[in-house]
Amino acid sequence: DSGVTQTPKHLITATGQRVTLRCSPRSGDLSVYWYQQSLDQGLQFLIQYYNGEERAKGNILERFSAQQFPDLHSELNLSSLELGDSALYFCASSLSELRAYNEQFFGPGTRLTVL
Amino acid sequence: SQQGEEDPQALSIQEGENATMNCSYKTSINNLQWYRQNSGRGLVHLILIRSNEREKHSGRLRVTLDTSKKSSSLLITASRAADTASYFCATDKRVIIQGAQKLVFGQGTRLTINP
């Protein structure tokens, strides 16, 4: 158990809909990262937040957005869903930014299925 | 697109044998990390090697890094059935903003240990 929690575990929805994925980082971790894992694209970094502020951006679509709240939990919002958005979405967290490198601890993931 | 490419894509060996997986990447890095993923579950951090290190050990794991060839290898000695999983290398590219971390994952090697 990494200490990172994600809800829900599974989500089934229809095209065009909007969903929110939630992540609680490990206690004390200030950074939260979101990743998408699909069969064709592999594991792709989406976005990083540090202490409530966006810190790094990856291959995140404009239909997707994220935020980190004062209690450090984070939400990933996916809108106008398409079939191709079906994937495993992982959240990870790490310690403060003061280290030159940070081991990331991954949550169990949310499996999104768009029908 | 993926920065890292693992080789082989799949590896099947007998329990007790050693397993070697390779990773190549394209751009300069801060560090390289190896992660394990059991089927459909979250990633588990195995080991991190910094760009100024050439070899690192952790238990039955041995990682090498050759920055001149932009490649790394992960060796698992005396393999066990529980080592069956997918293994990913992830590179941490140099970024300008302090604290920003963009892990770029390879496509992974699927390792099967036969009893």
Side-chain angles (χ1 to χ4, degrees), chain B residues 86-106:
Chain B
S86 291
Y87 292 81
F88 295 87
C89 69
T91 51
D92 183 1
K93 295 167 65 175
R94 297 184 189 279
V95 291
I96 298 172
I97 301 173
Q98 183 185 15
Q101 184 178 41
K102 300 175 74 168
L103 284 185
V104 181
F105 285 83

Side-chain angles (χ1 to χ4, degrees), chain A residues 31 33 35 37 39-45 48 55-59 88 90 94 97-98 100-104 106-108 111, chain B residues 1-2 30-31 33 35 37 40-46 48 50 56 88 92 95 97-107:
Chain A
S31 273
Y33 312 79
Y35 293 87
Q37 186 177 34
L39 282 174
D40 53 345
Q41 295 291 324
L43 194 60
Q44 300 239 357
F45 167 75
Q48 175 199 1
R55 192 52 62 102
K57 215 165 185 176
N59 302 322
L88 262 173
F90 288 106
S94 69
E97 65 179 32
L98 297 180
Y101 55 92
N102 285 289
E103 173 186 347
Q104 295 187 17
F106 280 75
R111 183 173 292 281
Chain B
S1 64
Q2 298 296 322
N30 282 332
N31 60 70
Q33 305 180 40
Y35 285 81
Q37 183 181 32
R41 303 183 68 175
L43 282 78
V44 175
H45 182 268
L46 295 176
L48 178 149
R50 301 185 218 184
K56 203 160 182 181
F88 295 87
D92 183 1
V95 291
I97 301 173
Q98 183 185 15
Q101 184 178 41
K102 300 175 74 168
L103 284 185
V104 181
F105 285 83
Q107 291 285 5

Side-chain angles (χ1 to χ4, degrees), chain B residues 45-89:
Chain B
H45 182 268
L46 295 176
I47 195 165
L48 178 149
I49 186 165
R50 301 185 218 184
S51 58
N52 62 353
E53 296 176 316
R54 292 295 166 258
E55 188 171 312
K56 203 160 182 181
H57 297 256
S58 176
R60 293 184 296 113
L61 305 180
R62 173 178 167 252
V63 168
T64 62
L65 179 64
D66 187 335
T67 52
S68 66
K69 295 181 180 177
K70 291 187 169 59
S71 68
S72 173
S73 68
L74 171 67
L75 168 68
I76 304 175
T77 60
S79 64
R80 305 167 182 169
D83 295 329
T84 294
S86 291
Y87 292 81
F88 295 87
C89 69

